[in-house]
Amino acid sequence: MGKIVAVHSYKGGTGKTLLSTNLAVTLAKKGKKVCLLDLDFRAPSLATLLNIEKTQHWLNDYLNGICEIDKVLIDLSDRIASKEKFFVCPANPSVEAIRDMSSKDRKWEMRALGRILSLRNSLLNDKGFDYIVFDTSPGLQYSSINAIVAADIVIVATTFDSSDVEGTRRMLRELYDLFEKKTEIVLNKVLYVDSVRAGKDKLQAMVKNIYEVPLLGVIPCFCEISRAEGKIIFVHEKPDHPFTKILDEIANKIDKL
Amino acid sequence: MPSQETLESKKPLQVLEKIKENLERLNEKMEVMIELQKHERKEFQTLPSEAPLDVMTLLSMPDHLRKTAMTVCRLGRATAEEIAQQTRRARAVESAYLNQLVIMGYLKKERKGRKAYFYVEKES
């Protein structure tokens, strides 16, 4: 039975897309059949990041009930030199589509939740996917909470920014806990010297103390990631980079959860 | 004569089943009344007869109802027995919560024979 992983955060710019994309690719490279879904309808990134210019249908169409999910699935396995392992469902990045998705009513959001929940059946059970990875909008947005409700595991990307720490703490208590979700923290943009000096055990204890949930991984601030300008699949292009090794550890941990 | 025999033996059985069915319904109604009293009707006064069960609504619900409502969302359509298996709470408890959610307008209830199914109304 496959798993659904949602990558979420309180604030924007914490590295959700970087984490979700590279996690999906890492899992795919390990031989898992993975589908990455862009649920950030307010600021879609996967279409640009993965150079998807035209598609028959967007994920928006699936949620609007216009088509089924197989019409949205794009096989990008060749990008990571594998076969039938890495699939993507991008969100429509046009301003018109963003406007449309921002003005949905509660009834529509309720139906969207039903359609996201039914992905477990259509993708994991029928199509044999091992993982569904959701990239979400930051904060308390309908599409993100829908993703969290449908997920088995929620990965929260967070930084040491104080408003992010406080917001993440509140979300853990007032959002993930209420839905009884298995939640793990990924500390991102940690200064390399700090992460080395503090050591894993110390950071683990600190996260446990602040958030009362386990620490899944620590990602130091890498200049090479900023330099890549979000244009490459990092773990694929840079197999020997420390970031790739960290993602590999995170993927292994998730596989065991 | 065999035919009369079956007819005679069947009749009391049918009557008993009818009584059992009515008792079950009565029981459900009483459970709802108990629940309503417990929560002093606070939650029900301003609610319309049909309200969308979206995630923000789920978030604002009391914990005990959220668990039941989320399980219905996940299963799509289920009996109190099936919900109870998932939540590991007693069937009678789930039945009360489910009926409460029906009164609040979040769920619909449909009877098929002796079974009652609960589901989220998705059509507008």
Side-chain angles (χ1 to χ4, degrees), chain A residues 169-185:
Chain A
R169 250 159 77 129
R170 267 200 305 270
M171 270 198 329
L172 283 163
R173 276 198 309 268
E174 289 160 36
L175 180 65
Y176 311 126
D177 274 5
L178 298 190
F179 289 124
E180 299 174 16
K181 290 294 158 185
K182 190 180 281 177
T183 313
E184 303 261 340
I185 294 273

Side-chain angles (χ1 to χ4, degrees), chain A residues 57-111:
Chain A
H57 287 288
W58 301 97
L59 191 52
N60 311 48
D61 300 325
Y62 170 69
L63 292 188
N64 274 322
I66 293 168
C67 67
E68 286 313 309
I69 196 68
D70 48 336
K71 293 277 183 289
V72 188
L73 279 176
I74 303 172
D75 186 352
L76 293 182
S77 307
D78 56 339
R79 302 265 185 100
I80 58 158
S82 71
K83 265 199 169 157
E84 290 177 30
K85 294 294 176 208
F86 180 50
F87 293 74
V88 175
C89 295
N92 190 341
S94 75
V95 172
E96 193 192 348
I98 295 171
R99 207 180 49 217
D100 173 59
M101 294 301 270
S102 312
S103 56
K104 300 293 192 190
D105 63 6
R106 290 171 61 189
K107 194 111 189 172
W108 186 92
E109 297 292 355
M110 182 189 81
R111 277 195 288 263

Side-chain angles (χ1 to χ4, degrees), chain A residues 106-107 110-111 142 179, chain B residues 53-54 57 70 121-122:
Chain A
R106 290 171 61 189
K107 194 111 189 172
M110 182 189 81
R111 277 195 288 263
Y142 263 110
F179 289 124
Chain B
L53 188 57
D54 61 345
T57 308
M70 269 184 66
E121 177 78 275
K122 292 209 173 106

Side-chain angles (χ1 to χ4, degrees), chain B:
Chain B
M1 284 193 289
S3 64
Q4 196 156 0
E5 224 175 79
T6 28
L7 200 73
E8 271 175 8
S9 60
K10 213 175 171 183
K11 249 191 176 168
L13 196 74
Q14 275 176 336
V15 173
L16 276 174
E17 290 223 326
K18 195 85 201 157
I19 291 172
K20 190 174 171 232
E21 207 174 292
N22 284 335
L23 273 174
E24 274 175 0
R25 283 190 199 193
L26 204 65
N27 196 26
E28 267 175 23
K29 278 182 189 161
M30 276 170 62
E31 280 163 358
V32 173
M33 283 166 71
I34 292 166
E35 272 302 313
L36 284 172
Q37 262 187 343
K38 254 197 232 167
H39 297 275
E40 296 167 354
R41 294 176 175 263
K42 258 187 262 163
E43 297 145 22
F44 311 103
Q45 275 166 3
T46 53
L47 282 155
S49 64
E50 200 178 295
L53 188 57
D54 61 345
V55 282
M56 298 301 177
T57 308
L58 281 170
L59 270 180
S60 64
M61 269 181 192
D63 293 349
H64 65 287
L65 288 181
R66 184 185 314 109
K67 194 166 189 147
T68 306
M70 269 184 66
T71 312
V72 179
C73 283
R74 248 197 343 263
L75 296 180
R77 188 182 163 89
T79 61
E81 181 78 52
E82 287 161 344
I83 300 288
Q85 275 170 11
Q86 297 280 321
T87 60
R88 294 178 190 178
R89 297 192 287 209
R91 195 209 69 91
V93 170
E94 286 305 341
S95 175
Y97 294 166
L98 285 162
N99 283 301
Q100 198 174 325
L101 287 163
V102 171
I103 294 170
M104 291 163 95
Y106 295 128
L107 297 182
K108 294 267 174 227
K109 182 176 178 180
E110 189 182 281
R111 285 199 168 273
K112 272 221 169 128
R114 284 180 43 211
K115 281 190 170 166
Y117 290 91
F118 297 86
Y119 61 98
V120 184
E121 177 78 275
K122 292 209 173 106
E123 302 315 311
S124 40

Side-chain angles (χ1 to χ4, degrees), chain A residues 29 233-245 248:
Chain A
K29 281 178 163 283
I233 300 172
F234 207 88
V235 292
H236 176 63
E237 309 270 335
K238 313 265 184 204
D240 300 320
H241 195 278
F243 175 80
T244 307
K245 302 231 155 57
D248 192 71

Side-chain angles (χ1 to χ4, degrees), chain A residues 47-64:
Chain A
T48 313
L49 178 76
L50 300 166
N51 278 321
I52 302 159
E53 278 173 14
K54 272 197 176 160
T55 177
Q56 199 185 350
H57 287 288
W58 301 97
L59 191 52
N60 311 48
D61 300 325
Y62 170 69
L63 292 188
N64 274 322

